[in-house]
C-alpha cells in the first residue's frame, strides 16, 4: 500500500459533529503512523501481523473487519457482527458504543492488498482487502476437517497430518491398493441408532480415500450405507471413480460413482444418499442363514480413467 494513499484519506463529511470529526482525525493519525511503519513505499501488500493488519482485526472475534466498522468514543474498533453481540458496550473500555463509524479505517481497508490468510499453508495469492472474504472460504490451501465420523472431531490440517491423526488417534485401519473386500457383522441388526460402524483408509494412486460403512434410520426403516470420500479437493476427486458391490444367494447390488471430497461433510454425503444404500430386508437376505445376524461382504475397487490418443477413456487400476 502506498503511504500517500493513506495521507490523502477523506475525512467524515460536514454532517458529523465536532467530537466525531476530532475522533476521526485522531484515528486517521494513528492509521497513518501504523501504515508508514508496516508498509514502506513500493511494498506489494500488507503481511499478516503488520500494524495495519492488526488494526483491521476485530478484538472480539479476531476476524478481519469489513464495513461498517464501528468504534467507541475512545477510538476502539470492532466489526458489525460483534457490535450486536456486546450489547452496545465497547469490549475494550466498556464505554457505550453508539453509532460511530470508523470511516478512516474503512478507507484504509479499501486501499490495502493483503495475502490470503492461508499464505503460511502455501497460498500465494494477494487480494484487494474486500476480495479476501470471497476467496478464503474457497481457498484450496485451507485446512481440511478430520473425516472421522464416529465422534465430533474438531481436528483440522493438511492431508498428511490428517492421515497420521486418523491412524494414531482414531486407530483407523490403513490399507494400500485400489481393491477392497470387507465383511461387516452385527449380531443384532435391529439396533440402528445412527451408528457409524467403520472407517477404513486406502492409499492408491498416491492419494488417500476413506471408505465409510454405517447404519442409520431412513424414515421408519433402518438402512445400511457404504460410500467413498477422497482426501483432497473436489476438482481432484473428479479424476477417480469407484464401485461397490454386495450380494449373496445369486443376487447382487452394484454402486458406481465418483468419490466425494472430504470438503463435503460426512453427514452431507450420507444424507444425499450418494453411495451404496441397502435396505435392512435386503441386507438380511444377503446375510443368509436365519436372517437374525447381519453378515455383509462388500467388495469394491478404485480406478482412474486415462484418455488414449484416439480419445477413448480407459480405466487404470493402481499397480
Amino acid at each position: 500500500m502506498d503511504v500517500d494513499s493513506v495521507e490523502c484519506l477523506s475525512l467524515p463529511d460536514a454532517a458529523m459533529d465536532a467530537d466525531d470529526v476530532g475522533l476521526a482525525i485522531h484515528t486517521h493519525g494513528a492509521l497513518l503512523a501504523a501504515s508508514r511503519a508496516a508498509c514502506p513505499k513500493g511494498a506489494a501488500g500488507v503481511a499478516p501481523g503488520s500494524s495495519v493488519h492488526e488494526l483491521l482485526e476485530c478484538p472480539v472475534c479476531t476476524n478481519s473487519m469489513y464495513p461498517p466498522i464501528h468504534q467507541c468514543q475512545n477510538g476502539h474498533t470492532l466489526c458489525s457482527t460483534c457490535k450486536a453481540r456486546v450489547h452496545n458496550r465497547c469490549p475494550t473500555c466498556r464505554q457505550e458504543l453508539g453509532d460511530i463509524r470508523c470511516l478512516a479505517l474503512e478507507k484504509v481497508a479499501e486501499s490495502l492488498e493483503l495475502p490470503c490468510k492461508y499464505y503460511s499453508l502455501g497460498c500465494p495469492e494477494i487480494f484487494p482487502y474486500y476480495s479476501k472474504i470471497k476467496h478464503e472460504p474457497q481457498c484450496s490451501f485451507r485446512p481440511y476437517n478430520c473425516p472421522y465420523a464416529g465422534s465430533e472431531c474438531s481436528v483440522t490440517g493438511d492431508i498428511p497430518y490428517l492421515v497420521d491423526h486418523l491412524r494414531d488417534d482414531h486407530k483407523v485401519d490403513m490399507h494400500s491398493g485400489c481393491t477392497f473386500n470387507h465383511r461387516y457383522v452385527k449380531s443384532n441388526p435391529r439396533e440402528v441408532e445412527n451408528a457409524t460402524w467403520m472407517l477404513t483408509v486406502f492409499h492408491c494412486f498416491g492419494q488417500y480415500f476413506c471408505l465409510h460403512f454405517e447404519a442409520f434410520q431412513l424414515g421408519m426403516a433402518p438402512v445400511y450405507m457404504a460410500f467413498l470420500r477422497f482426501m483432497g479437493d473436489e476438482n481432484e476427486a473428479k479424476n477417480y471413480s469407484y464401485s461397490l458391490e454386495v450380494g449373496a444367494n445369486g443376487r447382487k447390488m452394484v454402486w458406481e460413482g465418483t468419490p466425494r471430497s472430504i470438503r463435503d461433510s460426512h453427514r452431507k454425503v450420507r444424507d444425499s444418499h450418494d453411495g451404496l444404500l441397502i435396505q435392512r430386508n435386503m441386507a438380511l437376505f444377503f446375510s443368509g442363514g436365519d436372517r437374525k445376524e447381519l453378515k455383509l461382504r462388500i467388495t469394491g475397487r478404485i480406478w482412474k480413467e486415462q484418455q488414449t490418443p484416439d480419445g477413448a477413456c480407459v480405466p487404470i487400476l493402481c499397480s
Side-chain angles (χ1 to χ4, degrees), residues 78-123:
L78 77 164
C79 70
S80 57
T81 301
C82 290
K83 181 178 184 289
R85 296 164 48 192
V86 299
H87 307 294
N88 206 37
R89 289 286 174 183
C90 174
T92 303
C93 66
R94 310 306 299 168
Q95 294 294 314
E96 187 174 349
L97 283 171
D99 292 310
I100 306 172
R101 289 271 295 276
C102 187
L103 302 183
L105 190 54
E106 291 178 7
K107 288 289 187 180
V108 170
E110 290 174 356
S111 67
L112 291 181
E113 288 190 344
L114 297 170
C116 171
K117 73 177 182 179
Y118 302 119
Y119 79 103
S120 62
L121 300 178
C123 182

Side-chain angles (χ1 to χ4, degrees), residues 10-267:
S10 59
L11 293 175
D13 58 33
M16 297 182 66
D17 60 31
D19 289 340
D20 288 345
V21 172
L23 181 57
I25 292 173
H26 170 76
T27 305
H28 175 265
L31 292 172
L32 179 57
S35 65
R36 282 173 170 162
C39 190
K41 275 185 179 289
V46 179
S50 70
S51 298
V52 173
H53 188 271
E54 290 170 358
L55 282 170
L56 291 169
E57 183 180 276
C58 175
V60 178
C61 64
T62 71
N63 292 326
S64 296
M65 294 187 289
Y66 300 89
I69 299 174
H70 299 276
Q71 66 180 23
C72 73
Q73 293 186 359
N74 293 323
H76 303 126
T77 58
L78 77 164
C79 70
S80 57
T81 301
C82 290
K83 181 178 184 289
R85 296 164 48 192
V86 299
H87 307 294
N88 206 37
R89 289 286 174 183
C90 174
T92 303
C93 66
R94 310 306 299 168
Q95 294 294 314
E96 187 174 349
L97 283 171
D99 292 310
I100 306 172
R101 289 271 295 276
C102 187
L103 302 183
L105 190 54
E106 291 178 7
K107 288 289 187 180
V108 170
E110 290 174 356
S111 67
L112 291 181
E113 288 190 344
L114 297 170
C116 171
K117 73 177 182 179
Y118 302 119
Y119 79 103
S120 62
L121 300 178
C123 182
E125 302 294 338
I126 295 177
F127 297 93
Y129 188 75
Y130 297 121
S131 298
K132 275 168 54 68
I133 195 171
K134 297 179 180 179
H135 163 79
E136 288 172 349
Q138 304 299 322
C139 178
S140 60
F141 291 90
R142 70 192 189 278
Y144 295 89
N145 294 321
C146 173
Y148 191 76
S151 62
E152 294 297 327
C153 183
S154 60
V155 169
T156 62
D158 60 15
I159 299 304
Y161 177 82
L162 288 181
V163 169
D164 291 343
H165 165 69
L166 289 170
R167 182 190 62 235
D168 300 336
D169 298 328
H170 293 298
K171 310 303 180 186
V172 168
D173 289 336
M174 301 282 176
H175 295 272
S176 294
C178 56
T179 60
F180 39 89
N181 185 339
H182 283 272
R183 192 167 182 242
Y184 301 96
V185 178
K186 190 171 178 63
S187 58
N188 186 354
R190 296 184 180 277
E191 293 180 357
V192 178
E193 296 179 355
N194 294 323
T196 298
W197 288 6
M198 184 175 291
L199 169 64
T200 307
V201 173
F202 291 88
H203 181 241
C204 58
F205 298 107
Q207 307 287 349
Y208 290 92
F209 300 82
C210 296
L211 176 64
H212 297 265
F213 188 86
E214 64 179 82
F216 62 98
Q217 203 80 19
L218 183 61
M220 299 297 293
V223 296
Y224 310 97
M225 184 176 179
F227 57 92
L228 196 73
R229 287 200 291 166
F230 174 74
M231 295 188 71
D233 278 333
E234 180 181 0
N235 289 337
E236 294 180 88
K238 293 177 180 177
N239 295 324
Y240 302 92
S241 299
Y242 76 102
S243 65
L244 298 171
E245 181 177 314
V246 60
N249 301 322
R251 307 287 189 275
K252 70 178 179 180
M253 294 176 63
V254 179
W255 165 267
E256 188 172 304
T258 300
R260 296 279 284 273
S261 165
I262 60 171
R263 294 288 191 202
D264 288 336
S265 69
H266 160 269
R267 181 172 293 275

Side-chain angles (χ1 to χ4, degrees), residues 241-315:
S241 299
Y242 76 102
S243 65
L244 298 171
E245 181 177 314
V246 60
N249 301 322
R251 307 287 189 275
K252 70 178 179 180
M253 294 176 63
V254 179
W255 165 267
E256 188 172 304
T258 300
R260 296 279 284 273
S261 165
I262 60 171
R263 294 288 191 202
D264 288 336
S265 69
H266 160 269
R267 181 172 293 275
K268 180 179 180 180
V269 178
R270 191 195 76 177
D271 290 350
S272 68
H273 305 160
D274 193 359
L276 178 65
L277 203 64
I278 313 165
Q279 301 290 338
R280 184 176 64 182
N281 287 341
M282 184 63 72
L284 291 174
F285 175 79
F286 288 149
S287 298
D290 56 8
R291 298 165 63 95
K292 293 182 179 179
E293 184 179 40
L294 188 70
K295 297 178 182 178
L296 290 178
R297 182 176 297 279
I298 294 184
T299 60
R301 66 190 182 104
I302 305 167
W303 69 91
K304 186 175 184 179
E305 292 190 347
Q306 181 172 313
Q307 196 167 31
T308 62
D310 59 2
C313 288
V314 178

